[in-house]
Amino acid sequence: MGQMSAVTEKVLKEFIRDKMVLLWTFAVPVFFLLIVPFIDAGNMPTEVMPGLKAFATIAMITLLIMTACQANLAGSIASDTQRGLYLKMTSMPVKAWKEGVGRFLGILIFSLLGTVLLAFLGFSYGAQFTLNPVTLVESSIFLMLICFASTGMGLTIASFVKGESAATHTGVALSLLTFFCGGMAVPYAALPSALQVFARIHPISSANAAIAFLLVGESFAGYNPLSISQTSLTTAISIAIFAVGLTLYSEYCWKKN
Amino acid sequence: MKFCDTELDAPLNRADRFSLQTREKGIMMNAIAANGLQKSFGDVEALRGVNLRVDDGEFYALMGPNGSGKTTLVSILASVITPTSGKAEIFGRKPQEARNMIGFVPQGSFSSPMLTGRENLVYFAQLFGYSKNEAEKIASEQLLKMGLSEAADRLVSDYSGGMRKKLEVATALFPEVRLLILDEPSTGLDPSARKNFLGMIEEVNSTGVTVLCVTHIGEDAEIASKVGFMDEGVIIAEDKPEMLKRNSGLEKVLHAETSIKKEAIANVLVEYSDDRRILETEKGYRICCNNPEEAIPDISRQLDRLGCKLLRIETSNPSLEDVFYKLTDKSVRRV
């Protein structure tokens, strides 16, 4: 536990002290959150706005988690690789998986801090959620799945892309691609049919839809992401991506650094 | 420095007890014992059967040019990579089983610039297996020993190169560590910081910690109790620094700094080289010359005829770099 908590603490401190990480992880979702509901707002009935703002808040929380886990985590690992940290750690009595889990916990706490901030901002901004203990617990589980899948992606990127800048940019590109093609920037119903398939298969977009379904309403999700088959698919792919990422990370960042 | 006092006052740790037991039993323990180490990366044979013995408490410097296999060798000993064949032991154990006795400082700068010196030390101590409380206590002790107490709570990004290097050595010197492996530790340090840093390593060694230091700088190797020369994946010679120089047959080395550098100039100088060899340096040439007093006026005249000015010429005792060059015809430094 000591090793894991040491890594968690290091990751958290590094992220919180890095002004650029804070700017890009928090500022971009906050900016979009404030802007998105007003795009084409002239045609929207007023009563839809609280729901639209809630949907935008959830989408921005997902974007924040993706940015943190896919871009910042990958960039941080690449930076540590370039500095020779993995050479040093390999010579120490440390297990690769423990270090990897420590990183995951660090990025998870960082993401949760961002989630609380954006949720608070959404509330103050007029977003209206359907909140009850059941939907809260269920939404938290889907939020965890988003973290698992995003971290898996981040670890995978870090395993193959060695430069800090390249790893960060790859993570940002992947996050934006998922955001715009996965039914978060535009409603699921407005997506072309090929992208609708993508949105259902991609665990991050389907988990995002599940949270929207639970906290805002069925119409904002566009389909039923809580069906047994869809939930099983989302859970299985999220955990599989995390497991693959952790395995690749142990293999390529530790053994073949 | 407070190394000795602190060590004497401290209760015996596990490694000390292990060392004491072996000494009581009359067992002469090798800190490092490597036999026939080979390592290949695809078609490239980095190590070609390295044999190495380093005694407990010794300061061993490993010199060699880039690509000679030094880093590969220390990476095997530090358990970072495994050899293709051959056997390595650290205090009688496989390197992977002796990780809690090895402190490795690889090339580069691995400490986190976004953490303070103290936070870095606590982080590495926890990775090493200490609890948070123990790690904090050890970090404070290490910072004091390294003279970094005042800078302890500053971000490492604000540290100088020398301070950062000291901090990184501290991350490799936890109480159980008996073998410190340094891979080109003084690279990038200015002469003053390098001298200060090497003094600190000598202090560490004086507390009984075995030191294996890879370097391509002759002056760094001079402070070692034994020096090994490595070339093309094997150790070609090893001895005390003075013995290596004495047995080389070199008496004097002549350094000539010339206004121009070209083949004709080198051809003149090589005529005065005892072994008919010449080493091109950053500013001129270096030759082995046992009668420099006679040679210098002649050299000056001949270079003058070629339109080349002799900016500076001086003689010195041979360095370890000169000995290495005599043995291999290669410079340990890239020119």
Side-chain angles (χ1 to χ4, degrees):
Chain A
M1 273 309 285
Q3 291 180 339
M4 276 191 222
S5 66
V7 179
T8 303
E9 200 176 321
K10 171 185 176 276
V11 169
L12 263 178
K13 281 179 178 167
E14 285 178 338
F15 281 179
I16 287 169
R17 287 172 188 173
D18 192 327
K19 291 184 186 74
M20 294 318 283
V21 165
L22 289 180
L23 179 74
W24 293 113
T25 313
F26 291 98
V28 173
V30 167
F31 174 76
F32 276 122
L33 176 60
L34 299 177
I35 293 296
V36 166
F38 290 102
I39 297 173
D40 208 21
N43 300 329
M44 294 278 177
T46 324
E47 62 271 20
V48 178
M49 286 307 282
L52 190 65
K53 286 177 182 176
F55 179 78
T57 304
I58 293 165
M60 291 312 143
I61 287 172
T62 305
L63 179 64
L64 180 144
I65 294 173
M66 283 196 292
T67 310
C69 300
Q70 294 182 170
N72 297 338
L73 179 66
S76 151
I77 293 170
S79 160
D80 284 345
T81 306
Q82 284 176 325
R83 285 191 286 111
L85 179 65
Y86 288 94
L87 275 180
K88 168 74 179 165
M89 288 197 295
T90 311
S91 74
M92 298 173 75
V94 191
K95 292 267 187 294
W97 71 266
K98 281 191 181 181
E99 200 270 343
V101 172
R103 278 188 190 268
F104 170 66
L105 293 174
I107 203 79
L108 185 67
I109 295 169
F110 184 73
S111 301
L112 293 179
L113 287 174
T115 300
V116 171
L117 178 84
L118 281 180
F120 178 75
L121 194 68
F123 272 122
S124 351
Y125 187 51
Q128 211 168 55
F129 299 94
T130 314
L131 289 176
N132 64 56
V134 177
T135 56
L136 263 180
V137 170
E138 285 177 347
S139 303
S140 303
I141 292 169
F142 282 106
L143 201 71
M144 283 296 293
L145 290 180
I146 293 174
C147 289
F148 272 114
S150 300
T151 304
M153 298 273 195
L155 292 174
T156 305
I157 292 168
S159 303
F160 297 111
V161 186
K162 295 302 176 192
E164 182 184 0
S165 172
T168 307
H169 284 109
T170 306
V172 169
L174 199 63
S175 302
L176 291 178
L177 195 74
T178 311
F179 183 74
F180 284 106
C181 300
M184 286 169 260
V186 283
Y188 173 85
L191 290 174
S193 55
L195 289 184
Q196 286 187 343
V197 175
F198 170 80
R200 280 168 176 256
I201 292 175
H202 199 296
I204 295 173
S205 52
S206 59
N208 177 80
I211 298 171
F213 188 98
L214 285 162
L215 298 182
V216 192
E218 191 176 350
S219 56
F220 283 92
Y223 66 101
N224 182 9
L226 297 179
S227 67
I228 292 175
S229 57
Q230 184 64 52
T231 308
S232 308
L233 187 72
T234 305
T235 308
I237 297 179
S238 299
I239 291 170
I241 290 176
F242 180 71
V244 167
L246 199 57
T247 309
L248 290 172
Y249 172 70
S250 304
E251 185 66 24
Y252 288 94
C253 292
W254 277 75
K255 293 181 188 166
K256 296 182 180 171
N257 61 70
Chain B
M1 292 291 279
K2 297 185 173 68
F3 264 109
C4 298
D5 296 339
T6 313
E7 286 289 318
L8 287 173
D9 293 343
L12 286 180
N13 59 40
R14 192 154 42 127
D16 284 335
R17 284 196 296 275
F18 172 73
S19 183
L20 198 64
Q21 281 163 8
T22 54
R23 280 172 197 160
E24 281 169 356
K25 286 176 189 167
I27 303 166
M28 185 58 200
M29 178 62 70
N30 280 132
I32 299 172
N35 289 313
L37 282 184
Q38 287 186 310
K39 180 69 184 176
S40 300
F41 298 100
D43 295 336
V44 180
E45 217 178 356
L47 296 184
R48 299 185 298 121
V50 171
N51 298 312
L52 175 68
R53 292 276 178 286
V54 178
D55 290 336
D56 188 4
E58 197 168 43
F59 187 151
Y60 191 104
L62 195 60
M63 276 183 78
N66 290 333
S68 59
K70 306 183 300 292
T71 295
T72 305
L73 176 59
V74 294
S75 297
I76 290 172
L77 297 173
S79 78
V80 173
I81 55 172
T82 49
T84 308
S85 65
K87 192 178 164 191
E89 284 186 342
I90 306 297
F91 293 104
R93 302 177 196 179
K94 287 180 186 170
Q96 285 77 4
E97 293 165 5
R99 280 182 175 149
N100 60 346
M101 299 169 88
I102 301 170
F104 179 43
V105 182
Q107 285 181 44
S109 194
F110 56 81
S111 54
S112 171
M114 299 304 287
L115 299 185
T116 65
R118 187 188 304 281
E119 287 168 344
N120 265 290
L121 277 173
V122 171
Y123 166 67
F124 282 107
Q126 282 187 279
L127 283 187
F128 207 78
Y130 295 105
S131 69
K132 184 81 187 272
N133 286 343
E134 286 172 328
E136 282 170 352
K137 190 167 168 270
I138 288 168
S140 296
E141 287 169 5
Q142 293 291 76
L143 288 161
L144 192 67
K145 285 176 190 172
M146 296 292 165
L148 292 172
S149 289
E150 281 185 21
D153 298 310
R154 269 165 45 195
L155 288 182
V156 167
S157 54
D158 296 335
Y159 278 25
S160 67
M163 288 164 78
R164 203 161 173 169
K165 203 44 96 175
K166 278 184 177 181
L167 179 74
E168 285 166 359
V169 170
T171 67
L173 275 178
F174 298 121
E176 300 203 346
V177 167
R178 301 291 303 154
L179 170 64
L180 178 63
I181 301 177
L182 306 163
D183 192 0
E184 308 217 351
S186 63
T187 303
L189 299 185
D190 62 51
S192 161
R194 214 179 79 223
K195 195 176 169 190
N196 186 283
F197 175 76
L198 292 173
M200 187 265 291
I201 299 298
E202 275 186 296
E203 289 279 346
V204 170
N205 179 240
S206 71
T207 65
V209 174
T210 308
V211 178
L212 173 62
C213 179
V214 166
T215 182
H216 60 266
I217 302 171
E219 295 97 306
D220 291 5
E222 296 278 355
I223 61 169
S225 47
K226 198 189 269 185
V227 176
F229 287 148
M230 197 158 180
D231 189 36
E232 295 183 359
V234 287
I235 293 176
I236 54 167
E238 63 171 13
D239 211 329
K240 293 175 182 170
E242 284 314 309
M243 294 305 289
L244 281 169
K245 286 188 246 178
R246 194 178 302 165
N247 295 336
S248 69
L250 295 174
E251 287 177 26
K252 288 285 174 195
V253 176
L254 199 145
H255 309 259
E257 199 178 315
T258 53
S259 59
I260 45 174
K261 279 167 77 177
K262 60 181 185 182
E263 201 179 340
I265 308 296
N267 287 340
V268 169
L269 287 164
V270 80
E271 291 296 321
Y272 297 89
S273 169
D274 291 339
D275 53 6
R276 306 282 300 164
R277 291 190 296 187
I278 184 163
L279 176 63
E280 191 178 341
T281 62
E282 278 173 44
K283 293 179 179 172
Y285 301 93
R286 197 152 74 179
I287 57 169
C288 300
C289 179
N290 287 341
N291 286 310
E293 294 79 9
E294 289 176 21
I296 290 172
D298 280 356
I299 290 171
S300 183
R301 265 195 302 277
Q302 291 207 42
L303 293 185
D304 218 26
R305 253 181 254 145
L306 290 170
C308 171
K309 282 183 186 158
L310 202 52
L311 302 175
R312 216 173 80 175
I313 190 156
E314 58 184 28
T315 57
S316 67
N317 292 322
S319 67
L320 285 168
E321 290 173 50
D322 296 317
V323 178
F324 184 88
Y325 180 60
K326 183 171 168 72
L327 287 173
T328 64
D329 218 7
K330 289 177 189 165
S331 169
V332 284
R333 295 196 205 210
R334 191 183 286 166
V335 178

